[in-house]
Structures are given as C-alpha cells and as structure tokens.
Amino acid sequence: MLLLILFAPTGAWCGTCATCHPKESAGFASTAMARSLSIAGPQPEGAFEHSFSHTRFRIENRNGRVFQVLERDGQSESMPIQYVIGSGEHAFGYLAQVGDHLFQSPLSYYSRRRQWDVAPGYEQDPAPDFTRPVTAECLTCHSGEARPVPDTLNTYLVPPFAAAGITCERCHGSTEAHVKNPVRGTVLNPAKLPEAARDSVCEQCHLTGEVRIPNPGKTISDFQPGQTLEQNYTVYLATHGPDDTVKVISQAEQLALSVCKRSSGAKLWCGTCHDPHEQPSQPVGYFRQRCLSCHAATLSAKHAVFADCIGCHMPSRPAHA
C-alpha cells in the first residue's frame, strides 16, 4: 500500500512577502520550485533488486522516519534519510546526512510510475551505495540558501540550508530594503533587468551545461539576482548533435537553440511563457494561450484543429533510471 507523499516546504516562500502579496505567494507555493526540497517523512514502502550489481534494496518506515536498506554480498546497511530532493513532478531523490556531511541516496522514487529504482547515474554501478557527495552547487539550486562550510566538498553547517525549497529572494534579491519601504523600485523585478542579467536569474539553476567554473575568489552560490552569471562563474557547454540524448535539465540551452528564441532574440525569455507565481491547473490550455500570443496569425488550418501545442512541440520526457 502506497503512502501519500505530502510535504510542507519549510520557508519555501517568505511569510513576510505573503503579507502584501498573498496571491503571488499562494501561487508560488504550488509550483515545483517551492517544493524543490523538503524534510523527509514517511515514503512508499517497497523492495527491489538492482540486477546489474545484485544489490537488494528495501524502503521502510519506522516511527515516522524513512530508512533505505541495501544488502549485497552478505552484508547489509540501513541508512536513515533526512531530506527529499525534487518536487516529485517526475521523481524524488533522497539525501542522507552523516555527521555534517550530505550524501545522495542511490535510490529514487519515480512518482509517475509509482515505482522505486536506482537513481540516475547508478544504472551500471557495480556497487551502489551512499557515497556520492552532495556538493554546494547541487544544494544551492534545490534549497532556499545552502550553508556549506567553505573549502569543503560536502560539509555543511547545521542545518545545511536556511530554507527548504526556493525562496522569493532567489529571483528578487534581498527584500530587506523593500520590507522597510514597500514601494516599486525597492525590490528587484527580473523582467525589468537588462537581457543578460534577466536571463541569468533563471540560468543560475536552469543552465547547468557540462561544467561550471567559479571565477577567482568566487563560488557558485555567490551569484545574486541583478548580476550576470559571468560575474561569478563560467558555464561551459558541449556542442550537441541532432541525435544526442536531450537533457531533462539545462533548459536554457534548449531554449537558446529553439526557433522561437533564435527568431525573437532578446524579446523572448523564460518569463514569456512561464509565470513563476502560478502553477497552471490546465497546462494544455494555459500554454496554448501563450503560444497564440505570438503565433495566432500564422497558424495553419491543421494547427487550429489541435489544442495541445506542447504535446507536439515540447513533449514530456519520462524520468527514468
């Protein structure tokens, strides 16, 4: 029997902001960004064997906590899980905390399939275990504010983040001045920034590329809204051919290669189609209206018959191990 996975993001959006912006705050609370990280509660129990490594996994709930158990070569390990990473739109990942270090679990729960399996990257691991370090770059994009210990790989203060889930300040910058004087101009509006700085607000998490190299004296988490990524780090991209596997992340790369972006230039950005303060209850109709705002005059009669633009032009790719 599956348990319901219900998480209440701690500090995922600012309660102070909600006082004056209840609609935006409530809308954001329903988005995947607001649910990007949470404290682990009971999970669906289950068991399976990873055929490549002959490792047997079990997922058990004990007194309100979740444990992931692995058995291989006659040995067994039971690891308590502290955090759930990801919104669950496709899957959930898991983090274990050992002392002040964070490690990724080799397991994921694929919510659309209602199935446990190894996490991406562990498919052909001969000995999957809780040994993959969770770096500050990973936690920065999934939490409100990561708290890594400088010059370490995966050591964190306690708690390891100031807020679970993405916060208002991730896109709007510091709200201190706005709280003191709540008028236009005392808080950053990404849509009104110069193109490079505007796009950098989204690209801080949605442009992963192949590798990110911090500038001298900088870290990945030093980026602040209003800056460009290049002020803090450089993202190196690989040239992808038409037959290459499409990433499920680094969406900014895919946008830059699209006909829409190449035809529209600076006019088109993530916020043209995506409202971060709203999770559409009817995404097919919602995004069709976004498409029609630019393409209504050029649609052929054939297109007029189909209501689902994204079904053909932005097909969903299933998460899998």
Side-chain angles (χ1 to χ4, degrees):
M1 178 179 177
L2 293 177
L3 299 177
L4 291 177
I5 305 179
L6 298 176
F7 300 115
T10 304
W13 60 95
C14 180
T16 302
C17 301
T19 303
C20 296
H21 304 283
K23 179 181 178 181
E24 290 81 2
S25 296
F28 179 70
S30 67
T31 67
M33 286 192 295
R35 297 178 285 113
S36 57
L37 189 148
S38 54
I39 309 300
Q43 302 294 299
E45 295 188 317
F48 73 95
E49 182 171 332
H50 179 223
S51 58
F52 188 87
S53 66
H54 303 291
T55 303
R56 182 75 177 171
F57 291 102
R58 297 197 314 276
I59 299 88
E60 303 174 350
N61 295 303
R62 309 173 192 167
N63 300 319
R65 300 185 67 189
V66 60
F67 289 78
Q68 295 180 351
V69 184
L70 66 85
E71 298 175 347
R72 184 175 58 247
D73 299 331
Q75 296 185 329
S76 176
E77 179 182 12
S78 179
M79 181 68 70
I81 298 299
Q82 274 75 24
Y83 306 110
V84 180
I85 198 161
S87 68
E89 294 289 334
H90 298 282
F92 290 107
Y94 298 89
L95 306 184
Q97 185 169 344
V98 180
D100 54 1
H101 293 71
L102 288 179
F103 295 90
Q104 180 184 346
S105 162
L107 301 184
S108 285
Y109 182 73
Y110 296 89
S111 46
R112 292 193 177 183
R113 304 199 312 264
R114 295 177 175 267
Q115 181 179 355
W116 286 96
D117 205 336
V118 291
Y122 289 93
E123 296 91 340
Q124 297 184 8
D125 191 324
D129 209 329
F130 297 86
T131 54
R132 184 183 293 181
V134 176
T135 64
E137 182 175 352
C138 172
L139 203 59
T140 293
C141 280
H142 280 277
S143 69
E145 182 185 346
R147 305 176 67 215
V149 174
D151 302 319
T152 67
L153 181 63
N154 65 327
T155 307
Y156 294 86
L157 301 175
V158 180
F161 47 82
I166 304 303
T167 64
C168 303
E169 293 190 334
R170 175 57 58 85
C171 299
H172 293 285
S174 173
T175 58
E176 183 178 357
H178 188 62
V179 170
K180 292 179 179 179
N181 183 25
V183 298
R184 293 181 185 273
T186 58
V187 72
L188 185 147
N189 181 349
K192 296 183 178 180
L193 291 172
E195 176 190 357
R198 177 199 67 189
D199 293 347
S200 291
V201 171
C202 304
E203 291 170 353
Q204 62 177 306
C205 290
H206 295 283
L207 177 62
T208 53
E210 300 301 314
V211 65
R212 295 175 168 193
I213 304 298
N215 296 342
K218 294 286 188 177
T219 68
I220 299 296
S221 57
D222 284 337
F223 172 82
Q224 294 296 319
Q227 299 177 338
T228 63
L229 295 187
E230 291 76 13
Q231 290 177 257
N232 296 275
Y233 55 88
T234 299
V235 182
Y236 288 88
L237 311 178
T239 300
H240 296 286
D243 298 325
D244 290 350
T245 301
V246 176
K247 297 180 179 180
V248 296
I249 54 176
S250 205
Q251 295 90 344
E253 287 185 68
Q254 299 168 51
L255 176 63
L257 294 172
S258 70
V259 174
C260 284
K261 179 61 175 176
R262 287 186 280 120
S263 300
S264 304
K267 179 181 178 181
L268 181 71
W269 70 298
C270 302
T272 303
C273 301
H274 295 279
D275 184 348
H277 305 118
E278 181 179 4
Q279 182 72 21
S281 58
Q282 301 293 332
V284 170
Y286 178 90
F287 287 111
R288 178 173 174 77
Q289 290 303 313
R290 289 291 196 270
C291 296
L292 289 175
S293 67
C294 292
H295 296 288
T298 58
L299 287 182
S300 66
K302 179 182 68 174
H303 281 85
V305 176
F306 299 100
D308 186 5
C309 301
I310 59 176
C312 289
H313 294 282
M314 297 186 68
S316 177
R317 299 180 181 276
H320 58 82

